[in-house]
Amino acid sequence: MKNRIKIERAEKDVTQQQLAEAVGVSRQTIVAIEKNRFLPSTPLALKISRFFGKPVETIFILEDGD
């Protein structure tokens, strides 16, 4: 699964730390998600999507084989 978190952060001028604090995780968790090393839980994915005001499918994209 790919994600657009880094792009969304850049568009909204938000740091990894700011996003992490807003959704209740560590900055390292945001780094790991952005680098596709960690798949967020459903509640976390929904919190991130809500933070950006976009549907979860816009932030997280399933790839073939997922």
Side-chain angles (χ1 to χ4, degrees):
M1 179 165 63
K2 296 190 318 185
N3 69 74
R4 294 178 35 90
I5 295 174
K6 188 172 184 175
I7 296 165
E8 296 294 334
R9 282 192 314 97
E11 289 176 358
K12 202 167 179 177
D13 196 28
V14 172
T15 66
Q16 290 172 333
Q17 185 65 41
Q18 290 169 323
L19 175 57
E21 289 172 2
V23 298
V25 297
S26 69
R27 185 186 65 80
Q28 289 82 3
T29 299
I30 299 300
V31 170
I33 294 170
E34 285 185 1
K35 293 184 176 187
N36 296 312
R37 293 185 193 151
F38 176 75
L39 290 176
S41 65
T42 302
L44 179 54
L46 291 169
K47 286 178 186 179
I48 292 169
S49 298
R50 186 182 301 155
F51 177 84
F52 291 114
K54 296 190 176 179
V56 72
E57 297 89 355
T58 302
I59 308 294
F60 298 96
I61 301 99
L62 282 175
E63 296 182 290
D64 292 340
D66 283 346

